[in-house]
Amino acid sequence: MSTTEIHPNVNRVIFTETQIKEKVAELAQQITRDYKDSKNLVLIGILKGSFVFMSDLVRGIHLPNTNVSLEFMSISSYGAETSSSGIIRIIMDLRTSIEGKDVLIIEDIIDSGLTLKHLIELLQSRKPKSLESAILLRKKEGLKTEVPVKYIGFDIPMVFIIGYGLDFAENYRELPYLGELKEECYKK
Ligand code: 5GP
Ligand code: MG
Ligand code: MG
């Protein structure tokens, strides 16, 4: 990628389109392998951040003997903008039952892990056959709770990431790479 194509508010590109593509293909292969005997697999994309990851991931999954369905949930966590309390509010819930089905949560990023932990507790109460998660990015140093994650894309340092579906104040989701937002853009 030539530097002229990089957004001026991006400090540096953390992962290029090519790197992301390879990693997502790897995750899709693992998922294909692990769910080959599944009857019903429900992939739950957490809006909005996971929409690009989800759309690339599902196209790499090949499960001809499984009913694969896609659902979306929209949640927001209470608390300040840059850190999450982990107390989640459901903005848009699932439209179907997940009882007795294999469920895979698709999320863009975990920092403290609190949002995912609460989401797992909520979905577990609906009695799926199994419940796992696929997360594109994890800030290992940010983790404040033990949260089981089966599929991880990349571990990243404690910087603010935008692009490939991830936003800052609803902007930058369209960028095809994962970039670090310039500090001056969010520290006033
Ligand atoms: P957690 O509950 O794990 O602390 O927060 C997870 C949520 O915080 C993510 O779903 C995302 O909305 C937001 N978040 C955390 N770190 C980043 C980041 O570097 N970039 C963006 N765009 N969102 C982030
Ligand atoms: Mg998210
Ligand atoms: Mg956001």
Side-chain angles (χ1 to χ4, degrees), residues 84 86 107-116 139 159-162 166-168:
S84 89
E107 251 284 47
D108 52 356
I109 186 166
I110 59 172
D111 181 359
S112 70
L114 293 168
T115 307
L116 183 63
K139 291 180 180 172
V159 295
F160 197 84
I161 307 286
I162 51 169
L166 286 85
D167 74 312
F168 174 67

Side-chain angles (χ1 to χ4, degrees), residues 85-114:
S85 62
I87 302 166
I88 59 172
R89 187 159 58 99
I90 299 178
I91 310 294
M92 186 184 88
D93 205 342
L94 300 175
R95 295 186 187 186
T96 54
S97 167
I98 56 168
E99 193 173 339
K101 297 176 179 171
D102 293 310
V103 171
L104 186 59
I105 299 168
I106 316 288
E107 251 284 47
D108 52 356
I109 186 166
I110 59 172
D111 181 359
S112 70
L114 293 168

